[in-house]
Amino acid sequence: MNIFRGWQKVSYIDYPARIATLLFVGGCNFRCPYCQNPELVREWQGLPLIEESAVREFLLNRKTFIDAVCISGGEPLLHFEELLPFLRWVKKEGFLVKVDTNGSFPARVEDLEKEGLVDYWAIDFKLLPENYSLVAPPDLKKKVLETLEMALNFPLHKVEFRTTIYPPFHNSKILEEMAQYLREAPLWYWQNFQNQKTLSPEAQKVAPYPIETLKAWAKEINSKLERELAFVRE
Ligand code: SF4
């Protein structure tokens, strides 16, 4: 397997309440202008390869310390055939598995669910469906909606939805509309856009919203929905 191009060996924040190792898969079928991992999207084949054998050895030697394996990217499900045997091995060895996805491969999400290979999903809901062509080829909007619909029926403890708040794409009204899609979701995390390193050079000229503005919008949305749905991640 030659898809892992980044590795944070220990993370205390990527799996809820667990210690995890975090692997980054190269390649993505989206082009979000604000993407903070441009090297994983564009030039990933030139990045040093993380050997799967090194990951396996690391995990086997730290079974009492590491609880979970988180797979991020890039888009992990782009490389489904290569990922599958690795995830089977990880589960067989007793680790929890979290997968991040942009939501464009509903059938693969379903297959992993059926086989019980993922314990926790982080699924992007990037912007209003009618605007998905700003980040992805037009035919993927339908796929993302399929994934969202499926994931909204997952048990509450095994999924979170995520949005990077990017001023050209989001304002309070748009976020309120997006909240209507997720009103039954367990958790909707917002992370503020950072402009230091981005896929599009234009995005570096965009100023993020003040974090207090996002918190105020999240509070307003939660109050309208009469439940705690939106959380700002700092
Ligand atoms: S933000 Fe995620 S989905 Fe968007 S281009 Fe970057 S890796 Fe791909």
Side-chain angles (χ1 to χ4, degrees):
M1 170 153 80
N2 60 1
I3 60 171
F4 294 140
R5 299 300 165 124
W7 186 11
Q8 183 182 330
K9 289 187 174 170
V10 179
S11 165
Y12 296 94
I13 58 169
D14 280 280
Y15 196 103
R18 303 288 180 162
I19 300 173
T21 201
L22 173 61
L23 289 156
F24 295 90
V25 167
C28 189
N29 53 345
F30 278 33
R31 291 292 180 271
C32 310
Y34 53 77
C35 178
Q36 287 173 47
N37 293 322
E39 63 285 349
L40 280 170
V41 174
R42 274 192 311 234
E43 308 104 16
W44 67 276
Q45 277 158 326
L47 295 176
L49 172 66
I50 310 290
E51 294 288 351
E52 187 186 332
S53 56
V55 177
R56 287 187 188 223
E57 191 185 336
F58 172 86
L59 287 169
L60 289 176
N61 289 335
R62 286 162 188 81
K63 269 195 166 180
T64 53
F65 177 60
I66 298 284
D67 305 308
V69 176
C70 299
I71 313 285
S72 190
E75 170 50 43
L77 300 185
L78 200 56
H79 305 284
F80 187 68
E81 295 305 323
E82 286 163 288
L83 200 55
L84 200 52
F86 177 71
L87 293 184
R88 284 179 179 144
W89 178 84
V90 168
K91 286 304 293 173
K92 181 173 72 67
E93 294 299 332
F95 296 97
L96 296 163
V97 169
K98 171 177 174 249
V99 173
D100 297 349
T101 178
N102 61 28
S104 57
F105 293 101
R108 295 174 184 187
V109 171
E110 193 176 11
D111 286 351
L112 290 173
E113 267 304 291
K114 274 189 190 149
E115 203 175 325
L117 292 179
V118 179
D119 300 282
Y120 194 80
W121 292 95
I123 297 179
D124 294 341
F125 182 37
K126 291 182 179 293
L127 66 179
L128 282 171
E130 58 264 36
N131 294 332
Y132 249 80
S133 59
L134 293 169
V135 296
D139 54 314
L140 294 184
K141 176 180 93 176
K142 197 168 153 277
K143 301 277 181 198
V144 169
L145 287 173
E146 265 179 58
T147 303
L148 288 180
E149 200 171 314
M150 178 176 17
L152 283 168
N153 290 309
F154 287 172
L156 295 185
H157 63 272
K158 73 175 304 181
V159 64
E160 68 183 44
F161 297 88
R162 305 183 309 186
T163 302
T164 298
I165 310 295
Y166 179 53
F169 291 175
H170 305 104
N171 56 32
S172 59
K173 186 172 170 296
I174 288 170
L175 290 163
E176 260 186 54
E177 285 180 55
M178 290 172 72
Q180 292 306 318
Y181 284 87
L182 297 182
R183 53 182 310 127
E184 305 301 329
L187 285 170
W188 182 23
Y189 283 116
W190 299 0
Q191 72 181 34
N192 208 1
F193 152 71
Q194 307 282 324
N195 63 6
Q196 294 85 353
K197 185 173 74 160
T198 59
L199 185 61
S200 154
E202 289 304 305
Q204 287 170 23
K205 298 177 199 156
V206 175
Y209 288 121
I211 198 84
E212 294 309 323
T213 301
L214 300 191
K215 286 182 183 171
W217 289 349
K219 197 172 163 195
E220 202 179 318
I221 286 172
N222 292 341
S223 141
K224 282 186 182 163
L225 292 177
E226 298 182 337
R227 56 160 302 209
E228 297 294 307
L229 171 68
F231 294 87
V232 179
R233 250 185 191 141
E234 296 194 55

